[in-house]
Amino acid sequence: MQFIDLTQQAKRIENDVRRRMDAVLEHGQFILGPEVRQLEQQLAERAGVAHCITCSSGTDALILALRALGIGPGDGVYVPAFTFVATASAVRLVGATPIFVDVEEDTFNVSARTLQEAFARQDTGATRGGSVVSGGHSRKPRPRAIIAVDLFGQPAPYPELERLARAHDLALLADAAQSLGATLDGLPVGRLAPISTTSFFPSKPLGCYGDGGAVFTNDGQLADWCRSIRVHGKGTDKYDCVRVGMNARLDTLQAAILLAKLEIFDEELESRRRIADGYRARLSGLPGITPQRIVSGASSAWAQFTLRSPRRDRLAEVLRENGVPSMVYYPKPLHLQVANEDLGQGVGSFPRAEALCQQVLSLPMHPYLTEQEQEQVCSVISKSAQ
Ligand SMILES: *Cc1c(COP(=O)(O)O)cnc(C)c1O
């Protein structure tokens, strides 16, 4: 049994992928070729937004969005303490300072409540971690934005986050690297926040065969800035440089692969939902096993199926002994990562994020997981829970 099986999908779409890749080899437009535009159109349409700007990775998508929002040195950005490291690294790479926010222990996402906590910490100066060193003096960053993460595929509670962001004059960015295909109150990821980013890393719900990402927005100005920063800060002419930019394009070949994968994406999302429902039904009522809570109105893209257990390490061991792979996403919160030590947030700063790192376990999850495999996973868990 595999934790994430990419080979079955690869076999299923092989002919279509080869045909589309051959077409790229024929026309030879390897950079920003027609497939890139076609993909951007399809993704924008699916998300119900005016603009999709593809790029080289989910991390670069965050950097493009932050740059387009004008966030840089001296600025602070609220970031969950429990997420993949790239969410905070992107903030640091544009010269801004992450201000960590605890998450809800049941949904694993930030909320208006946990952000209010973070605002209070910031006001009382408890976030020494908020401080940046400039000219030998440390000063507090000026909060400019919130990045919410849709952890494991479940959208963060955007309506309440947006009200809070507006009241505090903060930009709201959705890191939807794990949630493309999810919805909240019937609205698709990509249009849940004023600007959203995603990743096409191979193991994400919509993955390519390498690195890739995208930014979604309805704001034409932000979209133009992202397109410019994506290609060396170009102005109207390619050789006219109006801002410091990057080389952050999605390869045409990767766009061609994604177009093939989009053909079966809805079906795969449906399979993920069916498998997640199966897990929830089979695991319900087991002592010490608590799956991620999905809020009403949300439909997850199920990048991961993750539960909490006070006996997590023992459970992982029993699963492994029985041939069932599992993963810990994530073993260490962002404020305790060595790279973020200089932000000065020690153990105990974000207790729910820290507890989750001790308790979470992700089970095998991909659209091709069979009933028998799922039965095997759940019977091992059920036996170990007795
Ligand atoms: C995967 C991921 C990223 C980074 O995406 P890459 O394409 O690997 O750069 C950022 N944020 C979150 C929450 C992720 O899961």
Side-chain angles (χ1 to χ4, degrees):
M1 188 183 325
Q2 296 205 41
F3 182 72
I4 293 181
D5 185 338
L6 297 174
T7 59
Q8 298 193 58
Q9 181 204 54
K11 269 188 228 124
R12 178 175 173 199
I13 59 174
E14 184 177 354
N15 289 340
D16 195 24
V17 166
R18 285 188 193 279
R19 186 179 60 77
R20 290 174 189 268
M21 287 177 74
D22 280 345
V24 176
L25 299 191
E26 290 284 322
H27 68 54
Q29 296 176 55
F30 299 114
I31 299 293
L32 298 183
E35 286 80 1
V36 174
R37 273 187 297 279
Q38 213 182 320
L39 176 69
E40 289 179 342
Q41 262 163 17
Q42 287 193 23
L43 290 172
E45 202 169 298
R46 294 175 68 98
V49 290
H51 307 279
C52 168
I53 305 96
T54 56
C55 63
S56 40
S57 70
T59 307
D60 286 342
L62 285 165
I63 293 173
L64 288 176
L66 289 165
R67 288 279 318 272
L69 290 166
I71 287 163
D75 295 334
V77 180
Y78 291 98
V79 170
F82 185 60
T83 172
F84 181 58
V85 290
T87 315
S89 305
V91 171
R92 306 204 70 169
L93 285 166
V94 302
T97 305
I99 307 169
F100 292 116
V101 184
D102 213 343
V103 294
E104 296 285 354
E105 66 184 347
D106 54 354
T107 65
F108 311 162
N109 281 334
V110 299
S111 66
R113 182 179 81 100
T114 69
L115 270 154
Q116 297 279 14
E117 277 175 13
F119 294 166
R121 278 172 69 83
Q122 186 70 357
D123 289 343
T124 60
T127 49
R128 190 157 62 80
S131 62
V132 285
V133 176
S134 77
H137 299 285
S138 75
R139 64 188 167 82
K140 268 191 165 185
R142 189 167 62 100
R144 291 281 317 281
I146 299 167
I147 303 182
V149 175
D150 301 343
L151 210 68
F152 306 141
Q154 165 167 237
Y158 289 101
E160 67 183 54
L161 298 183
E162 199 154 2
R163 279 194 294 277
L164 200 65
R166 208 170 286 138
H168 291 258
D169 200 21
L170 298 166
L172 178 60
L173 194 168
D175 178 351
Q178 304 179 2
S179 62
L180 200 65
T183 61
L184 184 64
D185 300 326
L187 297 178
V189 158
R191 64 174 284 189
L192 295 175
I195 189 161
S196 305
T197 64
T198 199
S199 164
F200 304 126
F201 184 81
S203 62
K204 308 280 166 143
L206 183 66
C208 60
Y209 290 158
D211 280 307
V215 180
F216 298 83
T217 186
N218 263 324
D219 185 321
Q221 185 71 80
L222 288 178
D224 282 347
W225 282 330
C226 286
R227 286 191 195 99
S228 164
I229 300 161
R230 171 175 77 171
V231 186
H232 308 291
K234 73 180 169 77
T236 45
D237 180 82
K238 187 172 160 189
Y239 294 106
D240 179 27
C241 173
V242 297
R243 56 181 65 81
V244 177
M246 304 156 66
N247 174 356
R249 296 165 295 224
L250 179 74
D251 294 342
T252 307
L253 277 169
Q254 298 297 350
I257 290 158
L258 286 165
L259 284 167
K261 293 208 182 188
L262 262 187
E263 299 280 327
I264 56 165
F265 187 46
D266 287 326
E267 217 182 294
E268 290 191 337
L269 284 167
E270 207 35 59
S271 301
R272 287 177 185 275
R273 287 186 184 124
R274 181 175 40 73
I275 291 160
D277 286 345
Y279 271 136
R280 271 136 54 109
R282 288 177 159 103
L283 298 175
S284 98
L286 290 183
I289 302 290
T290 315
Q292 178 183 23
R293 182 168 84 85
I294 303 302
V295 301
S296 81
S299 163
S300 177
W302 296 109
Q304 305 293 343
F305 187 91
T306 304
L307 54 80
R308 277 181 296 149
S309 170
R311 298 169 289 102
R312 189 268 313 274
D313 291 336
R314 175 78 195 124
L315 184 60
E317 197 180 305
V318 174
L319 284 167
R320 191 179 45 77
E321 284 164 5
N322 285 274
V324 176
S326 65
M327 297 290 282
V328 174
Y329 296 124
Y330 297 91
K332 204 184 236 192
L334 297 204
H335 62 289
L336 300 180
Q337 298 283 351
V338 173
N340 293 323
E341 262 172 10
D342 59 324
L343 299 175
Q345 303 292 290
V347 174
S349 302
F350 303 99
R352 294 185 298 272
E354 290 169 28
L356 285 172
C357 290
Q358 304 292 322
Q359 296 194 350
V360 284
L361 192 67
S362 301
L363 304 181
M365 170 53 95
H366 59 83
Y368 305 93
L369 194 78
T370 64
E371 283 275 320
Q372 290 99 306
E373 287 173 320
Q374 183 166 62
E375 189 54 53
Q376 187 192 342
V377 178
C378 293
S379 83
V380 176
I381 296 175
S382 155
K383 264 182 229 139
S384 96
Q386 305 301 318

